[in-house]
Amino acid sequence: MPELEEMTVADSAGLGNRGPSFDPTDRFADDHGSHDTDQRARFSGSTVAESGHTTSSPSETASSTTHEPVPIATAWSVLRDAHKKAERARRASIAPQPLSSPSPAPVAPCPMSPTMRDQALGLRAIRRFLKNRTNYEVLPVSYRLIQLDQRTLVKTSLTILIQNGIVSAPLWDSATSTFCGLLTTADYINVIQYYWQHRSELKNIGKFRLDSLRDVEKAIGVAPIETISIHPRRSIYDACRCILESRARRVPLIDVDDETKNEFVVSVVTQYRILKFISFNVTETQLLKVPLKKLGLGCYHNLVTTRWNEPVINAIHLLVKHNISSIPIVNSDNVVINVFEAVDVITLIKDGSYEEGLNLTVGEALNLRPLDYPGIYTCHEDDRLDSIFDTIRRSRVHRFTIVTEDNVLVGVLALSDILKYILLEGEGEDDVHDPYDSYANHTRAK
């Protein structure tokens, strides 16, 4: 009995919260159904053998009368140690993982609001429309195309553009019968920059031809005239991609004559014409009801401005330096008065009087605008693209000046910003899931 009591106390102390009533054979009984004496002897015998004591098989133990009995305390001590080891292993398996490598918890996707869902539907409908229409369909039923030979004098080309009310024209090489670029207001600004830096050559400007523009570009270090073009049977979507890559924000449509195999210019597609085409033909533009401010659409920081009495040549330098096509004119309170545009440069030098035109102020230059000049268009940060498209449908708009209720300048929204947004926003999700079909079915059901 003293031996048994010593074992019980030691076992109770070693098992902690198990308590003194815990019997190490209970687990064996749970696994095998009963406390069979033969099974206990077999279990104790194998355990003692592992601890280094000599033992024999159960049958030998039962028949032998001379074998020294195994001390109960020793057997139970070994069993207790085995149980402790198993318990430590069990607790280690459920221990919390280190904080440095937590398992990432699944993040539930944020539900899309009805307004944002409609916005996505509208954008997908526009892209679907652009991909299913060719560039031929953008062209009006009746139009004229002004094409200039690259040997034309710069002075003559200015007169042609002004008389026809256009600001760009394709250039043609009559010697090779090939398209050789697109003439825009940026090229005339390059000429002004060149002669402003080389005053001594100003007297020769009347003899300057369009095919000499390459020399001007090299002299002042600007990019050459773009020769990007697209076939008229390609989709409008592809043309939009080309326009976004073009500095001119327009792309000529070039086809090939079936008989002569020579190129010919069909027309020039502008971003304004495409957006106007969308406004007339895609009713889903009315789903675009998210405010400009929330979309972050437009330019709001580091805005370039000028003043009414500023020399116009300074404004032209700003156009070139920042690669922009317009500059808001503000007063001392940053209130928008007007906008100086790149097209205003043409009227300054239309008669070849560079010295006189370039010595004017910004305000004086704007006074030379034609009487039918459409004016400037403003909008607010809370305006939405559905109303913007309504304005484009009704008017000839090339940009929007974003202002407050008091006409204080906030930002500038260019047509290229709109085109880029409708083309790229959420485009990657179109092929994954296009809810436009469900929207169209729902609309037809109504």
Side-chain angles (χ1 to χ4, degrees), residues 249-380:
R249 302 307 182 191
R250 62 196 74 217
V251 58
L253 304 181
I254 308 295
D255 205 344
V256 178
D257 187 273
D258 293 335
E259 295 182 0
T260 65
K261 305 302 179 183
N262 291 331
E263 291 182 341
F264 67 94
V265 181
V266 177
S267 185
V268 177
V269 174
T270 65
Q271 56 190 4
Y272 164 74
R273 182 174 288 182
I274 290 176
L275 292 175
K276 197 175 189 73
F277 187 65
I278 292 172
S279 68
F280 270 106
N281 296 282
V282 184
T283 58
E284 285 81 4
T285 55
Q286 298 305 309
L287 295 175
L288 308 178
K289 297 184 180 298
V290 180
L292 298 176
K293 183 178 181 179
K294 186 172 183 179
L295 296 175
L297 197 55
C299 179
Y300 299 89
H301 306 289
N302 301 322
L303 297 174
V304 180
T305 61
T306 188
R307 298 295 179 89
W308 188 262
N309 295 321
E310 188 77 14
V312 71
I313 188 62
N314 291 352
I316 294 174
H317 291 328
L318 289 175
L319 291 176
V320 175
K321 179 180 179 180
H322 298 280
N323 192 26
I324 53 180
S325 59
S326 67
I327 304 176
I329 305 170
V330 298
N331 63 11
S332 56
D333 296 322
N334 210 36
V335 173
V336 176
I337 301 173
N338 212 312
V339 174
F340 180 77
E341 302 177 352
V343 295
D344 292 317
V345 175
I346 295 179
T347 59
L348 293 176
I349 58 176
K350 64 179 180 179
D351 298 324
S353 53
Y354 283 70
E355 285 282 2
E356 181 181 347
L358 298 178
N359 284 320
L360 298 176
T361 64
V362 170
E364 291 169 340
L366 265 55
N367 289 332
L368 299 177
R369 283 173 171 172
L371 297 176
D372 59 349
Y373 180 78
I376 66 173
Y377 289 85
T378 62
C379 65
H380 304 294

Side-chain angles (χ1 to χ4, degrees), residues 113-162:
S113 67
T115 303
M116 291 301 294
R117 184 168 58 251
D118 287 347
Q119 187 89 0
L121 288 170
L123 294 175
R124 289 186 176 98
I126 293 173
R127 286 193 288 267
R128 183 180 181 131
F129 173 80
L130 295 176
K131 291 176 180 179
N132 292 326
R133 297 292 187 276
T134 67
N135 293 307
Y136 270 125
E137 298 176 71
V138 178
L139 305 180
V141 177
S142 176
Y143 67 92
R144 60 182 175 179
L145 174 67
I146 307 298
Q147 185 172 280
L148 299 176
D149 191 285
Q150 65 172 353
R151 292 176 297 179
T152 305
L153 295 175
V154 171
K155 181 179 179 179
T156 305
S157 69
L158 273 170
T159 303
I160 294 173
L161 295 185
I162 293 172

Side-chain angles (χ1 to χ4, degrees), residues 325-326 339 341 376-378 397-401 412-415:
S325 59
S326 67
V339 174
E341 302 177 352
I376 66 173
Y377 289 85
T378 62
V397 187
H398 295 288
R399 68 192 53 81
F400 293 86
T401 305
V412 176
L413 176 65
L415 296 188

Side-chain angles (χ1 to χ4, degrees), residues 130-131 135 230 234-243 251:
L130 295 176
K131 291 176 180 179
N135 293 307
I230 192 171
R234 294 274 297 277
S235 70
I236 305 174
Y237 180 86
D238 293 337
C240 291
R241 285 284 190 175
C242 289
I243 288 175
V251 58

